[in-house]
Amino acid sequence: MKKKIRSFDNKTVLMIGRIGSVLSVLMYVSYIPQIMNNLQGNYGNPIQPLVAAINCFIWVLYALLREKKDWPLFVANFPGILFGLATFITSLH
């Protein structure tokens, strides 16, 4: 017996997407304290921000290469490229 998945109205789905986009941007902005620590000589591990930047780059490409551009996906991931690379670069010593 298949379990029926509850469907949500378009307004609810749109709101969930907006919340997800905001949280995604906040997640990457949260690299700022690590960047500051890196610049002060308290270096963090460079692997996670590098992988995050690569992941975001792939999602940004996907969003832009689609026939109908996926701007929310682009906006949610583009800061991850910038902040991920900045964190990676500043953590190298």
Side-chain angles (χ1 to χ4, degrees):
M1 181 187 254
K2 267 191 168 179
K3 206 175 198 183
K4 194 170 189 175
I5 298 174
R6 181 175 178 227
S7 63
F8 294 95
D9 61 74
N10 196 37
K11 186 176 178 181
T12 302
V13 172
L14 188 60
M15 182 58 66
I16 291 169
R18 287 180 179 158
I19 292 169
S21 292
V22 168
L23 290 173
S24 180
V25 170
L26 290 174
M27 179 173 59
Y28 297 118
V29 169
S30 72
Y31 279 139
I32 292 173
Q34 184 60 50
I35 294 169
M36 292 169 61
N37 284 340
N38 291 340
L39 293 172
Q40 294 173 354
N42 301 317
Y43 300 104
N45 189 320
I47 300 301
Q48 194 278 332
L50 176 62
V51 173
I54 293 168
N55 177 61
C56 290
F57 179 74
I58 297 299
W59 281 113
V60 163
L61 276 179
Y62 173 78
L64 293 177
L65 294 175
R66 293 187 59 176
E67 190 172 321
K68 183 177 186 272
K69 308 284 188 251
D70 192 335
W71 294 112
L73 188 61
F74 173 87
V75 169
N77 285 281
F78 187 74
I81 298 170
L82 302 177
F83 287 107
L85 286 177
T87 307
F88 170 72
I89 292 166
T90 61
S91 68
L92 298 176
H93 53 288

mmCIF file of all heavy atoms in Angstrom, residues 33-78:
data_model
loop_
_atom_site.group_PDB
_atom_site.id
_atom_site.type_symbol
_atom_site.label_atom_id
_atom_site.label_comp_id
_atom_site.label_asym_id
_atom_site.label_seq_id
_atom_site.Cartn_x
_atom_site.Cartn_y
_atom_site.Cartn_z
ATOM 1 N N PRO A 33 33.349 35.101 10.477
ATOM 2 C CA PRO A 33 34.219 34.974 11.651
ATOM 3 C C PRO A 33 35.441 34.080 11.399
ATOM 4 O O PRO A 33 36.533 34.379 11.906
ATOM 5 C CB PRO A 33 33.303 34.359 12.723
ATOM 6 C CG PRO A 33 31.924 34.725 12.302
ATOM 7 C CD PRO A 33 31.971 34.737 10.795
ATOM 8 N N GLN A 34 35.275 33.010 10.623
ATOM 9 C CA GLN A 34 36.416 32.158 10.309
ATOM 10 C C GLN A 34 37.428 32.888 9.437
ATOM 11 O O GLN A 34 38.637 32.750 9.629
ATOM 12 C CB GLN A 34 35.974 30.864 9.625
ATOM 13 C CG GLN A 34 37.118 29.905 9.360
ATOM 14 C CD GLN A 34 37.839 29.476 10.629
ATOM 15 O OE1 GLN A 34 37.207 29.062 11.585
ATOM 16 N NE2 GLN A 34 39.153 29.589 10.638
ATOM 17 N N ILE A 35 36.939 33.678 8.493
ATOM 18 C CA ILE A 35 37.845 34.480 7.660
ATOM 19 C C ILE A 35 38.635 35.442 8.541
ATOM 20 O O ILE A 35 39.861 35.588 8.395
ATOM 21 C CB ILE A 35 37.063 35.236 6.566
ATOM 22 C CG1 ILE A 35 36.445 34.250 5.567
ATOM 23 C CG2 ILE A 35 37.960 36.250 5.854
ATOM 24 C CD1 ILE A 35 35.441 34.872 4.619
ATOM 25 N N MET A 36 37.955 36.077 9.481
ATOM 26 C CA MET A 36 38.628 37.011 10.387
ATOM 27 C C MET A 36 39.669 36.279 11.237
ATOM 28 O O MET A 36 40.788 36.779 11.425
ATOM 29 C CB MET A 36 37.592 37.735 11.256
ATOM 30 C CG MET A 36 36.715 38.677 10.451
ATOM 31 S SD MET A 36 35.298 39.320 11.338
ATOM 32 C CE MET A 36 36.063 40.192 12.673
ATOM 33 N N ASN A 37 39.318 35.105 11.753
ATOM 34 C CA ASN A 37 40.280 34.312 12.522
ATOM 35 C C ASN A 37 41.479 33.925 11.664
ATOM 36 O O ASN A 37 42.622 33.981 12.123
ATOM 37 C CB ASN A 37 39.628 33.042 13.079
ATOM 38 C CG ASN A 37 38.745 33.319 14.265
ATOM 39 O OD1 ASN A 37 38.864 34.343 14.921
ATOM 40 N ND2 ASN A 37 37.835 32.399 14.537
ATOM 41 N N ASN A 38 41.214 33.517 10.427
ATOM 42 C CA ASN A 38 42.306 33.146 9.518
ATOM 43 C C ASN A 38 43.262 34.321 9.311
ATOM 44 O O ASN A 38 44.482 34.151 9.329
ATOM 45 C CB ASN A 38 41.762 32.685 8.164
ATOM 46 C CG ASN A 38 41.042 31.360 8.242
ATOM 47 O OD1 ASN A 38 41.221 30.581 9.171
ATOM 48 N ND2 ASN A 38 40.196 31.101 7.259
ATOM 49 N N LEU A 39 42.704 35.504 9.123
ATOM 50 C CA LEU A 39 43.529 36.692 8.896
ATOM 51 C C LEU A 39 44.348 37.074 10.126
ATOM 52 O O LEU A 39 45.378 37.721 10.014
ATOM 53 C CB LEU A 39 42.659 37.864 8.434
ATOM 54 C CG LEU A 39 42.015 37.692 7.052
ATOM 55 C CD1 LEU A 39 41.031 38.813 6.783
ATOM 56 C CD2 LEU A 39 43.084 37.618 5.961
ATOM 57 N N GLN A 40 43.871 36.661 11.305
ATOM 58 C CA GLN A 40 44.591 36.946 12.553
ATOM 59 C C GLN A 40 45.565 35.829 12.924
ATOM 60 O O GLN A 40 46.168 35.849 13.982
ATOM 61 C CB GLN A 40 43.594 37.178 13.688
ATOM 62 C CG GLN A 40 42.763 38.427 13.489
ATOM 63 C CD GLN A 40 41.655 38.565 14.524
ATOM 64 O OE1 GLN A 40 41.422 37.687 15.334
ATOM 65 N NE2 GLN A 40 40.965 39.691 14.482
ATOM 66 N N GLY A 41 45.684 34.813 12.064
ATOM 67 C CA GLY A 41 46.640 33.752 12.305
ATOM 68 C C GLY A 41 46.082 32.508 12.960
ATOM 69 O O GLY A 41 46.808 31.549 13.207
ATOM 70 N N ASN A 42 44.791 32.509 13.293
ATOM 71 C CA ASN A 42 44.133 31.337 13.876
ATOM 72 C C ASN A 42 43.460 30.562 12.748
ATOM 73 O O ASN A 42 42.252 30.657 12.544
ATOM 74 C CB ASN A 42 43.098 31.759 14.930
ATOM 75 C CG ASN A 42 43.721 32.557 16.043
ATOM 76 O OD1 ASN A 42 44.796 32.216 16.525
ATOM 77 N ND2 ASN A 42 43.065 33.627 16.449
ATOM 78 N N TYR A 43 44.257 29.801 12.009
ATOM 79 C CA TYR A 43 43.796 29.176 10.780
ATOM 80 C C TYR A 43 42.842 28.018 11.024
ATOM 81 O O TYR A 43 43.050 27.208 11.918
ATOM 82 C CB TYR A 43 44.990 28.677 9.963
ATOM 83 C CG TYR A 43 45.935 29.791 9.587
ATOM 84 C CD1 TYR A 43 47.150 29.944 10.248
ATOM 85 C CD2 TYR A 43 45.599 30.690 8.592
ATOM 86 C CE1 TYR A 43 48.015 30.972 9.905
ATOM 87 C CE2 TYR A 43 46.449 31.716 8.249
ATOM 88 C CZ TYR A 43 47.652 31.859 8.908
ATOM 89 O OH TYR A 43 48.497 32.875 8.575
ATOM 90 N N GLY A 44 41.803 27.973 10.212
ATOM 91 C CA GLY A 44 40.858 26.857 10.231
ATOM 92 C C GLY A 44 41.211 25.871 9.129
ATOM 93 O O GLY A 44 42.100 26.104 8.307
ATOM 94 N N ASN A 45 40.483 24.782 9.101
ATOM 95 C CA ASN A 45 40.688 23.755 8.092
ATOM 96 C C ASN A 45 40.166 24.268 6.742
ATOM 97 O O ASN A 45 39.018 24.695 6.648
ATOM 98 C CB ASN A 45 39.959 22.482 8.499
ATOM 99 C CG ASN A 45 40.306 21.319 7.610
ATOM 100 O OD1 ASN A 45 40.433 21.456 6.406
ATOM 101 N ND2 ASN A 45 40.451 20.156 8.212
ATOM 102 N N PRO A 46 40.968 24.204 5.678
ATOM 103 C CA PRO A 46 40.539 24.755 4.385
ATOM 104 C C PRO A 46 39.638 23.826 3.569
ATOM 105 O O PRO A 46 39.016 24.279 2.601
ATOM 106 C CB PRO A 46 41.862 24.979 3.657
ATOM 107 C CG PRO A 46 42.787 23.959 4.227
ATOM 108 C CD PRO A 46 42.375 23.804 5.671
ATOM 109 N N ILE A 47 39.545 22.563 3.932
ATOM 110 C CA ILE A 47 38.842 21.588 3.083
ATOM 111 C C ILE A 47 37.339 21.875 2.981
ATOM 112 O O ILE A 47 36.789 21.934 1.874
ATOM 113 C CB ILE A 47 39.079 20.149 3.588
ATOM 114 C CG1 ILE A 47 40.570 19.811 3.576
ATOM 115 C CG2 ILE A 47 38.270 19.142 2.774
ATOM 116 C CD1 ILE A 47 41.211 19.914 2.215
ATOM 117 N N GLN A 48 36.659 22.044 4.096
ATOM 118 C CA GLN A 48 35.201 22.227 4.073
ATOM 119 C C GLN A 48 34.782 23.449 3.261
ATOM 120 O O GLN A 48 33.897 23.343 2.412
ATOM 121 C CB GLN A 48 34.639 22.286 5.500
ATOM 122 C CG GLN A 48 33.128 22.137 5.574
ATOM 123 C CD GLN A 48 32.378 23.425 5.293
ATOM 124 O OE1 GLN A 48 32.889 24.519 5.539
ATOM 125 N NE2 GLN A 48 31.176 23.309 4.768
ATOM 126 N N PRO A 49 35.391 24.634 3.461
ATOM 127 C CA PRO A 49 34.966 25.771 2.640
ATOM 128 C C PRO A 49 35.273 25.598 1.157
ATOM 129 O O PRO A 49 34.516 26.083 0.308
ATOM 130 C CB PRO A 49 35.714 26.970 3.236
ATOM 131 C CG PRO A 49 36.700 26.425 4.185
ATOM 132 C CD PRO A 49 36.321 25.033 4.522
ATOM 133 N N LEU A 50 36.369 24.893 0.828
ATOM 134 C CA LEU A 50 36.674 24.640 -0.578
ATOM 135 C C LEU A 50 35.609 23.742 -1.209
ATOM 136 O O LEU A 50 35.107 24.030 -2.308
ATOM 137 C CB LEU A 50 38.054 24.005 -0.739
ATOM 138 C CG LEU A 50 38.427 23.604 -2.168
ATOM 139 C CD1 LEU A 50 38.474 24.833 -3.078
ATOM 140 C CD2 LEU A 50 39.743 22.851 -2.189
ATOM 141 N N VAL A 51 35.253 22.686 -0.511
ATOM 142 C CA VAL A 51 34.218 21.777 -1.025
ATOM 143 C C VAL A 51 32.875 22.502 -1.136
ATOM 144 O O VAL A 51 32.142 22.316 -2.113
ATOM 145 C CB VAL A 51 34.116 20.512 -0.137
ATOM 146 C CG1 VAL A 51 32.938 19.651 -0.540
ATOM 147 C CG2 VAL A 51 35.414 19.716 -0.208
ATOM 148 N N ALA A 52 32.571 23.364 -0.162
ATOM 149 C CA ALA A 52 31.324 24.144 -0.217
ATOM 150 C C ALA A 52 31.334 25.065 -1.434
ATOM 151 O O ALA A 52 30.310 25.195 -2.128
ATOM 152 C CB ALA A 52 31.142 24.950 1.061
ATOM 153 N N ALA A 53 32.464 25.706 -1.708
ATOM 154 C CA ALA A 53 32.561 26.601 -2.865
ATOM 155 C C ALA A 53 32.372 25.830 -4.169
ATOM 156 O O ALA A 53 31.670 26.294 -5.076
ATOM 157 C CB ALA A 53 33.906 27.333 -2.866
ATOM 158 N N ILE A 54 32.980 24.649 -4.257
ATOM 159 C CA ILE A 54 32.816 23.827 -5.465
ATOM 160 C C ILE A 54 31.367 23.388 -5.616
ATOM 161 O O ILE A 54 30.801 23.458 -6.719
ATOM 162 C CB ILE A 54 33.765 22.609 -5.421
ATOM 163 C CG1 ILE A 54 35.214 23.078 -5.510
ATOM 164 C CG2 ILE A 54 33.440 21.624 -6.535
ATOM 165 C CD1 ILE A 54 36.236 22.006 -5.188
ATOM 166 N N ASN A 55 30.754 22.968 -4.528
ATOM 167 C CA ASN A 55 29.345 22.567 -4.546
ATOM 168 C C ASN A 55 28.460 23.719 -5.028
ATOM 169 O O ASN A 55 27.594 23.539 -5.893
ATOM 170 C CB ASN A 55 28.919 22.101 -3.155
ATOM 171 C CG ASN A 55 27.455 21.753 -3.099
ATOM 172 O OD1 ASN A 55 26.995 20.860 -3.794
ATOM 173 N ND2 ASN A 55 26.719 22.462 -2.262
ATOM 174 N N CYS A 56 28.690 24.895 -4.478
ATOM 175 C CA CYS A 56 27.896 26.064 -4.876
ATOM 176 C C CYS A 56 28.128 26.423 -6.337
ATOM 177 O O CYS A 56 27.191 26.818 -7.037
ATOM 178 C CB CYS A 56 28.225 27.247 -3.975
ATOM 179 S SG CYS A 56 27.615 27.036 -2.300
ATOM 180 N N PHE A 57 29.363 26.292 -6.794
ATOM 181 C CA PHE A 57 29.669 26.573 -8.195
ATOM 182 C C PHE A 57 28.867 25.659 -9.121
ATOM 183 O O PHE A 57 28.308 26.110 -10.127
ATOM 184 C CB PHE A 57 31.176 26.412 -8.445
ATOM 185 C CG PHE A 57 31.576 26.664 -9.863
ATOM 186 C CD1 PHE A 57 31.600 27.950 -10.370
ATOM 187 C CD2 PHE A 57 31.917 25.616 -10.702
ATOM 188 C CE1 PHE A 57 31.963 28.191 -11.684
ATOM 189 C CE2 PHE A 57 32.275 25.843 -12.019
ATOM 190 C CZ PHE A 57 32.292 27.134 -12.516
ATOM 191 N N ILE A 58 28.795 24.378 -8.767
ATOM 192 C CA ILE A 58 28.022 23.422 -9.572
ATOM 193 C C ILE A 58 26.543 23.819 -9.592
ATOM 194 O O ILE A 58 25.899 23.807 -10.652
ATOM 195 C CB ILE A 58 28.206 21.983 -9.042
ATOM 196 C CG1 ILE A 58 29.662 21.547 -9.162
ATOM 197 C CG2 ILE A 58 27.260 21.014 -9.725
ATOM 198 C CD1 ILE A 58 30.201 21.523 -10.574
ATOM 199 N N TRP A 59 25.993 24.183 -8.429
ATOM 200 C CA TRP A 59 24.582 24.576 -8.379
ATOM 201 C C TRP A 59 24.324 25.879 -9.145
ATOM 202 O O TRP A 59 23.287 26.038 -9.785
ATOM 203 C CB TRP A 59 24.100 24.705 -6.932
ATOM 204 C CG TRP A 59 23.808 23.372 -6.330
ATOM 205 C CD1 TRP A 59 24.477 22.768 -5.317
ATOM 206 C CD2 TRP A 59 22.775 22.462 -6.720
ATOM 207 N NE1 TRP A 59 23.930 21.534 -5.048
ATOM 208 C CE2 TRP A 59 22.881 21.320 -5.896
ATOM 209 C CE3 TRP A 59 21.780 22.486 -7.685
ATOM 210 C CZ2 TRP A 59 22.020 20.229 -6.012
ATOM 211 C CZ3 TRP A 59 20.924 21.402 -7.804
ATOM 212 C CH2 TRP A 59 21.048 20.292 -6.967
ATOM 213 N N VAL A 60 25.262 26.807 -9.083
ATOM 214 C CA VAL A 60 25.120 28.065 -9.837
ATOM 215 C C VAL A 60 25.139 27.773 -11.337
ATOM 216 O O VAL A 60 24.322 28.314 -12.097
ATOM 217 C CB VAL A 60 26.213 29.077 -9.432
ATOM 218 C CG1 VAL A 60 26.355 30.200 -10.448
ATOM 219 C CG2 VAL A 60 25.908 29.639 -8.053
ATOM 220 N N LEU A 61 26.054 26.913 -11.766
ATOM 221 C CA LEU A 61 26.067 26.517 -13.184
ATOM 222 C C LEU A 61 24.740 25.895 -13.592
ATOM 223 O O LEU A 61 24.189 26.233 -14.642
ATOM 224 C CB LEU A 61 27.193 25.514 -13.444
ATOM 225 C CG LEU A 61 28.572 26.060 -13.698
ATOM 226 C CD1 LEU A 61 29.562 24.923 -13.912
ATOM 227 C CD2 LEU A 61 28.588 27.006 -14.879
ATOM 228 N N TYR A 62 24.264 24.984 -12.779
ATOM 229 C CA TYR A 62 22.982 24.329 -13.062
ATOM 230 C C TYR A 62 21.863 25.370 -13.185
ATOM 231 O O TYR A 62 21.065 25.326 -14.125
ATOM 232 C CB TYR A 62 22.665 23.323 -11.953
ATOM 233 C CG TYR A 62 21.298 22.718 -12.064
ATOM 234 C CD1 TYR A 62 21.038 21.701 -12.978
ATOM 235 C CD2 TYR A 62 20.248 23.154 -11.256
ATOM 236 C CE1 TYR A 62 19.777 21.142 -13.086
ATOM 237 C CE2 TYR A 62 18.985 22.592 -11.353
ATOM 238 C CZ TYR A 62 18.748 21.594 -12.271
ATOM 239 O OH TYR A 62 17.497 21.048 -12.372
ATOM 240 N N ALA A 63 21.830 26.318 -12.244
ATOM 241 C CA ALA A 63 20.770 27.334 -12.251
ATOM 242 C C ALA A 63 20.832 28.195 -13.506
ATOM 243 O O ALA A 63 19.793 28.573 -14.059
ATOM 244 C CB ALA A 63 20.886 28.212 -11.000
ATOM 245 N N LEU A 64 22.036 28.501 -13.969
ATOM 246 C CA LEU A 64 22.191 29.377 -15.133
ATOM 247 C C LEU A 64 22.057 28.644 -16.462
ATOM 248 O O LEU A 64 21.678 29.251 -17.465
ATOM 249 C CB LEU A 64 23.551 30.084 -15.075
ATOM 250 C CG LEU A 64 23.721 31.085 -13.949
ATOM 251 C CD1 LEU A 64 25.136 31.645 -13.960
ATOM 252 C CD2 LEU A 64 22.694 32.202 -14.045
ATOM 253 N N LEU A 65 22.389 27.364 -16.490
ATOM 254 C CA LEU A 65 22.366 26.626 -17.752
ATOM 255 C C LEU A 65 21.000 26.031 -18.093
ATOM 256 O O LEU A 65 20.811 25.554 -19.214
ATOM 257 C CB LEU A 65 23.422 25.515 -17.733
ATOM 258 C CG LEU A 65 24.867 26.006 -17.680
ATOM 259 C CD1 LEU A 65 25.820 24.833 -17.549
ATOM 260 C CD2 LEU A 65 25.200 26.866 -18.892
ATOM 261 N N ARG A 66 20.091 26.068 -17.143
ATOM 262 C CA ARG A 66 18.744 25.573 -17.433
ATOM 263 C C ARG A 66 18.090 26.460 -18.481
ATOM 264 O O ARG A 66 18.404 27.647 -18.597
ATOM 265 C CB ARG A 66 17.893 25.590 -16.159
ATOM 266 C CG ARG A 66 18.377 24.602 -15.124
ATOM 267 C CD ARG A 66 17.439 24.533 -13.989
ATOM 268 N NE ARG A 66 16.132 24.135 -14.531
ATOM 269 C CZ ARG A 66 15.071 23.899 -13.797
ATOM 270 N NH1 ARG A 66 15.128 24.040 -12.505
ATOM 271 N NH2 ARG A 66 13.935 23.539 -14.340
ATOM 272 N N GLU A 67 17.169 25.881 -19.211
ATOM 273 C CA GLU A 67 16.455 26.665 -20.229
ATOM 274 C C GLU A 67 15.753 27.855 -19.581
ATOM 275 O O GLU A 67 15.827 28.977 -20.060
ATOM 276 C CB GLU A 67 15.445 25.773 -20.953
ATOM 277 C CG GLU A 67 14.852 26.440 -22.159
ATOM 278 C CD GLU A 67 14.004 25.490 -22.975
ATOM 279 O OE1 GLU A 67 14.390 24.308 -23.111
ATOM 280 O OE2 GLU A 67 12.953 25.933 -23.470
ATOM 281 N N LYS A 68 15.053 27.589 -18.476
ATOM 282 C CA LYS A 68 14.436 28.664 -17.687
ATOM 283 C C LYS A 68 15.316 28.846 -16.463
ATOM 284 O O LYS A 68 15.395 27.977 -15.603
ATOM 285 C CB LYS A 68 13.017 28.290 -17.265
ATOM 286 C CG LYS A 68 12.314 29.383 -16.504
ATOM 287 C CD LYS A 68 10.882 28.981 -16.182
ATOM 288 C CE LYS A 68 10.131 30.124 -15.552
ATOM 289 N NZ LYS A 68 10.268 30.173 -14.117
ATOM 290 N N LYS A 69 16.044 29.968 -16.399
ATOM 291 C CA LYS A 69 16.998 30.213 -15.322
ATOM 292 C C LYS A 69 16.330 30.056 -13.956
ATOM 293 O O LYS A 69 15.209 30.503 -13.747
ATOM 294 C CB LYS A 69 17.590 31.616 -15.427
ATOM 295 C CG LYS A 69 18.168 31.960 -16.777
ATOM 296 C CD LYS A 69 19.505 31.303 -17.006
ATOM 297 C CE LYS A 69 20.161 31.790 -18.266
ATOM 298 N NZ LYS A 69 20.197 30.834 -19.333
ATOM 299 N N ASP A 70 17.039 29.435 -13.036
ATOM 300 C CA ASP A 70 16.537 29.234 -11.672
ATOM 301 C C ASP A 70 17.215 30.257 -10.763
ATOM 302 O O ASP A 70 18.212 29.970 -10.107
ATOM 303 C CB ASP A 70 16.823 27.802 -11.212
ATOM 304 C CG ASP A 70 16.086 27.437 -9.942
ATOM 305 O OD1 ASP A 70 15.740 28.353 -9.163
ATOM 306 O OD2 ASP A 70 15.858 26.236 -9.721
ATOM 307 N N TRP A 71 16.674 31.476 -10.735
ATOM 308 C CA TRP A 71 17.292 32.571 -10.009
ATOM 309 C C TRP A 71 17.336 32.345 -8.501
ATOM 310 O O TRP A 71 18.349 32.695 -7.873
ATOM 311 C CB TRP A 71 16.642 33.902 -10.377
ATOM 312 C CG TRP A 71 16.916 34.247 -11.804
ATOM 313 C CD1 TRP A 71 16.019 34.286 -12.829
ATOM 314 C CD2 TRP A 71 18.190 34.539 -12.391
ATOM 315 N NE1 TRP A 71 16.659 34.589 -14.019
ATOM 316 C CE2 TRP A 71 17.989 34.755 -13.771
ATOM 317 C CE3 TRP A 71 19.482 34.637 -11.892
ATOM 318 C CZ2 TRP A 71 19.030 35.070 -14.638
ATOM 319 C CZ3 TRP A 71 20.519 34.946 -12.755
ATOM 320 C CH2 TRP A 71 20.280 35.161 -14.108
ATOM 321 N N PRO A 72 16.300 31.810 -7.864
ATOM 322 C CA PRO A 72 16.417 31.544 -6.419
ATOM 323 C C PRO A 72 17.568 30.589 -6.096
ATOM 324 O O PRO A 72 18.293 30.790 -5.118
ATOM 325 C CB PRO A 72 15.064 30.936 -6.053
ATOM 326 C CG PRO A 72 14.124 31.487 -7.067
ATOM 327 C CD PRO A 72 14.935 31.569 -8.341
ATOM 328 N N LEU A 73 17.760 29.575 -6.911
ATOM 329 C CA LEU A 73 18.863 28.641 -6.700
ATOM 330 C C LEU A 73 20.204 29.353 -6.897
ATOM 331 O O LEU A 73 21.152 29.139 -6.127
ATOM 332 C CB LEU A 73 18.738 27.461 -7.662
ATOM 333 C CG LEU A 73 19.699 26.304 -7.459
ATOM 334 C CD1 LEU A 73 19.508 25.676 -6.082
ATOM 335 C CD2 LEU A 73 19.482 25.261 -8.546
ATOM 336 N N PHE A 74 20.279 30.218 -7.881
ATOM 337 C CA PHE A 74 21.490 31.002 -8.125
ATOM 338 C C PHE A 74 21.799 31.896 -6.921
ATOM 339 O O PHE A 74 22.915 31.899 -6.406
ATOM 340 C CB PHE A 74 21.322 31.851 -9.388
ATOM 341 C CG PHE A 74 22.455 32.811 -9.611
ATOM 342 C CD1 PHE A 74 23.593 32.405 -10.295
ATOM 343 C CD2 PHE A 74 22.385 34.111 -9.148
ATOM 344 C CE1 PHE A 74 24.645 33.281 -10.500
ATOM 345 C CE2 PHE A 74 23.430 34.992 -9.347
ATOM 346 C CZ PHE A 74 24.562 34.591 -10.024
ATOM 347 N N VAL A 75 20.799 32.654 -6.486
ATOM 348 C CA VAL A 75 20.986 33.596 -5.374
ATOM 349 C C VAL A 75 21.367 32.865 -4.089
ATOM 350 O O VAL A 75 22.196 33.348 -3.311
ATOM 351 C CB VAL A 75 19.709 34.445 -5.162
ATOM 352 C CG1 VAL A 75 19.758 35.227 -3.867
ATOM 353 C CG2 VAL A 75 19.510 35.381 -6.351
ATOM 354 N N ALA A 76 20.803 31.696 -3.867
ATOM 355 C CA ALA A 76 21.097 30.930 -2.654
ATOM 356 C C ALA A 76 22.519 30.388 -2.646
ATOM 357 O O ALA A 76 23.092 30.190 -1.575
ATOM 358 C CB ALA A 76 20.103 29.782 -2.511
ATOM 359 N N ASN A 77 23.105 30.158 -3.805
ATOM 360 C CA ASN A 77 24.415 29.503 -3.863
ATOM 361 C C ASN A 77 25.578 30.413 -4.249
ATOM 362 O O ASN A 77 26.724 30.106 -3.915
ATOM 363 C CB ASN A 77 24.357 28.314 -4.820
ATOM 364 C CG ASN A 77 23.637 27.163 -4.194
ATOM 365 O OD1 ASN A 77 24.194 26.442 -3.385
ATOM 366 N ND2 ASN A 77 22.369 26.991 -4.545
ATOM 367 N N PHE A 78 25.326 31.512 -4.919
ATOM 368 C CA PHE A 78 26.415 32.387 -5.346
ATOM 369 C C PHE A 78 27.256 32.895 -4.176
ATOM 370 O O PHE A 78 28.497 32.894 -4.263
ATOM 371 C CB PHE A 78 25.884 33.549 -6.192
ATOM 372 C CG PHE A 78 26.978 34.367 -6.794
ATOM 373 C CD1 PHE A 78 27.711 33.875 -7.862
ATOM 374 C CD2 PHE A 78 27.296 35.615 -6.289
ATOM 375 C CE1 PHE A 78 28.739 34.620 -8.423
ATOM 376 C CE2 PHE A 78 28.320 36.358 -6.839
ATOM 377 C CZ PHE A 78 29.043 35.864 -7.908
#
